[in-house]
Amino acid sequence: MNSMNYQYDVAVVGAGPAGIASACSMSELGLRVLVLDEQARPGGQIYRNIEKAPESRCKLLGSDYTKGACLVNQLRSADLDYRSEAAVWQVEPDGTVFFSHKGESHCVKVERIVVATGAMERPVPFSGWTLPGVMGAGAANNLYKDSGLKPSGKVVIAGSGPLLLLEACQLASSGVEISAILETASAYPSLEALAQLPSALRRADYLVKGVKMLWDIKRTGVPHLKNVKEVRAHGDDKLSKVTAMQNGKAVSFDADSLLVHFGVIPNTAMFSQLGCRHEWDNVQRYWYPVTDTWGRTSLERVFAAGDGTFVHGAGAAELKGRLTALEVAHSVGKLSLSQRDEQAERIQKKLARELSPRPFIDAMFAPDIDACAFDDETLVCRCEHVTVVQIKDAVRQGCTNPNDIKALVRSGMGPCQGRMCGNAIVELLSILTSGKPSDAERLRIRPPLKNVSMQEMASMRFEGGE
Ligand SMILES: Cc1cc2nc3c(=O)[nH]c(=O)nc-3n(C[C@H](O)[C@@H](O)[C@H](O)COP(=O)(O)OP(=O)(O)OC[C@H]3O[C@@H](n4cnc5c(N)ncnc54)[C@H](O)[C@@H]3O)c2cc1C
């Protein structure tokens, strides 16, 4: 195969910190780069809408948000082809990429693919989670970044993780009435977390940021309950109340909005559809695609970068993107091994420093299986309306993995292709069968990854190629 036959050497899927850094570096190294992202503007989750957000919004979101403008400017001025509103719905190991752009489907063939599709909030089914008024805290944050929308009425925030605290601080300073913060993490660091503290001190600024967020929340006077379990949402046709248990005592809050957050997990849909090898992480309890330190996956032409490989935050995502770029350039003969290693040295040092607090953060906010309460009627698969009791029945009938359950009750067969229920089914299975998630077969993901009409497919445009 000769790359001269192709219009692009490499396609990067995702224009978040990882995708942008990787694309700009590859373009500087002389590769012809196509960047595809389904969002209207570049920036990914953290720097979402940075180009259009008004000053007042930027002020509230702070420098962790506004510093993204520099990265986005790099993308805009780089010598590459960036297409927004381009949703990639199928990728093949041979380098064929199918995407939908402004109502038209396109097919392009490239030498290398960099998947930088980032992370998503961990979907956790619990009693009442489908009621209007219940949504992800990160999703609420996205609404604010995109259009300045804020939840109205009485707001309860529940779950755990740094993003939960960040969202609570930002909402409080924007004048939202928060009734309570129900944190499912314990008030004190676990022994596992304390063991990781010395390494975390290399990035003491992160720890200081965390303590400052806790202090800011305390100053608001909002009840901040720790060690909360069994969160439930109640209401007839919309949310009216949130209940939970704290240290064996029932607590209850009237609520118009419940913002939940149970951490962030890699968005593995594209890696799964491609057939990349995955492993299960027992601390963060998620599947992640196996990569080496250069972002090489188990497939020769497919590379990965950013939080989609393992959740390490935006700073690490950008550095991982730059390392992947060097390896891609080396793999197509644009850099020798020694040039790659020389250019990587500084980035690797920065990345090691950036990663130093992660084991502490991961242990502090390790997911807790008792955080939420569910009943037999709780919906697990929202697309196909599959409830907990249906999953239990399937297991009783002998299903031992998510694909058998899918064949029997259709969970994971809807338009989201198991994005919302995949992890939850793995957790349910491990409860019901006392098995280890790492032993279970993973849910198979089928194209299209995004909704695409038959008409669009039929009028597919083939770009460049042999
Ligand atoms: C909802 C949410 C909000 C977050 N907010 C913050 C925050 O405020 N502060 C913070 O520090 N961290 C935040 N994070 C964590 C965050 O993900 C960062 O660590 C960082 O953005 C990761 O960078 P990335 O480049 O790996 O991925 P991302 O920034 O997630 O970028 C991935 C990009 O891939 C695109 N994409 C995905 N699938 C496709 C597809 N099939 N076709 C085309 N494009 C696709 C997405 O549109 C996205 O732009 C948030 C995470 C989530 C899930």
Side-chain angles (χ1 to χ4, degrees), residues 121-122 137 157-165 181-186 224 227-228 231 259-264 284 361-368 371-372:
E121 290 190 288
R122 181 192 306 272
I157 302 178
S160 87
L163 280 181
L164 182 94
L165 301 178
I181 301 166
L182 309 179
E183 211 178 326
T184 55
S186 155
H224 183 179
N227 204 23
V228 169
V231 174
L259 308 184
V260 287
H261 181 80
F262 301 101
V264 169
Q284 278 301 304
I361 296 171
D362 287 352
M364 270 296 287
F365 299 109
D368 176 3
C372 295

Side-chain angles (χ1 to χ4, degrees), residues 195-392:
Q196 304 295 343
L197 192 56
S199 148
L201 289 172
R202 282 183 71 199
R203 284 302 307 262
D205 53 324
Y206 272 155
L207 303 184
V208 170
K209 216 184 267 179
V211 172
K212 185 175 177 308
M213 284 197 289
L214 290 172
W215 175 244
D216 286 347
I217 290 170
K218 196 172 168 61
R219 278 194 321 177
T220 61
V222 170
H224 183 179
L225 282 60
K226 308 267 179 58
N227 204 23
V228 169
K229 309 282 170 220
E230 298 179 41
V231 174
R232 284 174 194 270
H234 305 263
D236 292 328
D237 49 1
K238 66 182 179 65
L239 177 78
S240 58
K241 192 169 72 174
V242 178
T243 61
M245 300 297 289
Q246 189 204 22
N247 302 328
K249 270 173 50 190
V251 292
S252 170
F253 295 90
D254 290 342
D256 301 297
S257 300
L258 168 63
L259 308 184
V260 287
H261 181 80
F262 301 101
V264 169
I265 64 173
N267 174 4
T268 56
M270 198 165 286
F271 297 107
S272 302
Q273 183 257 297
L274 270 155
C276 295
R277 195 161 78 77
H278 284 68
E279 271 175 13
W280 173 262
D281 182 72
N282 237 342
V283 177
Q284 278 301 304
R285 303 190 71 81
Y286 55 55
W287 292 102
Y288 62 94
V290 176
T291 59
D292 66 8
T293 51
W294 298 98
R296 273 190 180 276
T297 68
S298 57
L299 300 174
E300 195 194 339
R301 290 171 189 274
V302 181
F303 292 71
D307 274 3
T309 60
F310 205 95
V311 178
H312 286 139
E318 192 179 327
L319 295 166
K320 286 196 244 175
R322 299 210 185 273
L323 285 179
T324 301
L326 294 177
E327 180 63 1
V328 172
H330 169 57
S331 76
V332 295
K334 293 275 181 194
L335 281 183
S336 68
L337 197 65
S338 59
Q339 284 171 322
R340 179 201 75 176
D341 290 348
E342 195 188 323
Q343 294 192 31
E345 204 181 323
R346 207 171 43 90
I347 307 171
Q348 283 161 333
K349 277 192 186 139
K350 277 191 181 175
L351 181 61
R353 194 164 170 267
E354 193 64 36
L355 296 183
S356 55
R358 290 315 299 194
F360 174 74
I361 296 171
D362 287 352
M364 270 296 287
F365 299 109
D368 176 3
I369 217 102
D370 300 323
C372 295
F374 58 83
D375 311 303
D376 277 356
E377 289 70 39
T378 302
L379 268 189
V380 180
C381 171
R382 296 173 78 135
C383 300
E384 297 291 330
H385 294 266
V386 180
T387 58
V388 169
V389 74
Q390 286 174 278
I391 309 270
K392 283 184 179 171

Side-chain angles (χ1 to χ4, degrees), residues 142 147 174 237 247 384 436 446 456-457:
N142 280 353
S147 37
S174 71
D237 49 1
N247 302 328
E384 297 291 330
K436 282 197 238 143
R446 305 281 188 218
E456 232 194 272
M457 277 197 196

Side-chain angles (χ1 to χ4, degrees), residues 444-465:
R444 278 189 289 272
I445 305 281
R446 305 281 188 218
L449 294 172
K450 303 280 166 180
N451 289 342
V452 52
S453 68
M454 295 300 283
Q455 189 188 2
E456 232 194 272
M457 277 197 196
S459 58
M460 177 104 62
R461 281 171 60 128
F462 293 86
E463 294 188 24

